[in-house]
């Protein structure tokens, strides 16, 4: 389920950033997140990409904030990650 993946990704980002000065801001996510079932193996694709993005932002961006948006429109999942660093 998307909700399980979302919680895992948020926990990962929280753990990476908890000893830094970077704020994690999750500003949107699907209201019906608990009912969305991901196709098989999608979590195996999404999780490593997200981890790499958050880790790179933490190590290299010198950001103060990382914004994460989970958006589902017309059965399309979009994960948007932005930071205010370099």
């Amino acid at each position: 389920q998307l909700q399980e993946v979302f919680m895992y990704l948020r926990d990962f980002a929280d753990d990476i950033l908890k000893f830094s000065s970077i704020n994690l801001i999750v500003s949107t996510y699907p209201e019906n997140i608990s009912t969305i079932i991901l196709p098989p193996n999608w979590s195996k694709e999404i999780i490593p990409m997200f981890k790499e993005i958050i880790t790179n932002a933490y190590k290299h961006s010198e950001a103060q904030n990382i914004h994460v948006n989970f958006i589902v429109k017309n059965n399309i999942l979009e994960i948007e990650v932005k930071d205010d660093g370099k």
Side-chain angles (χ1 to χ4, degrees), residues 6 8 13-15 32 34 36 51 56 61 63 71 74 85-86:
F6 172 78
Y8 178 85
D14 283 339
D15 286 347
N32 60 339
S34 63
I36 298 172
K51 285 182 171 183
N56 284 343
S61 73
I71 303 161
N74 302 322
K86 57 181 181 178

Side-chain angles (χ1 to χ4, degrees), residues 15-81:
D15 286 347
I16 288 280
L17 302 174
K18 69 181 168 187
F19 296 114
S20 75
S21 60
I22 301 172
N23 298 309
L24 177 66
I25 302 159
V26 180
S27 56
T28 62
Y29 63 91
E31 291 180 15
N32 60 339
I33 194 169
S34 63
T35 64
I36 298 172
I37 306 294
L38 293 173
N41 296 321
W42 271 37
S43 62
K44 291 180 182 177
E45 300 293 329
I46 294 169
I47 291 170
M49 285 188 286
F50 184 85
K51 285 182 171 183
E52 183 71 15
I53 292 165
I54 295 297
T55 302
N56 284 343
Y58 168 69
K59 288 182 178 179
H60 307 294
S61 73
E62 298 178 13
Q64 293 180 351
N65 300 291
I66 298 175
H67 298 267
V68 178
N69 294 313
F70 286 82
I71 303 161
V72 176
K73 289 183 187 173
N74 302 322
N75 289 328
I76 296 173
L77 171 63
E78 180 179 325
I79 303 172
E80 181 180 76
V81 181

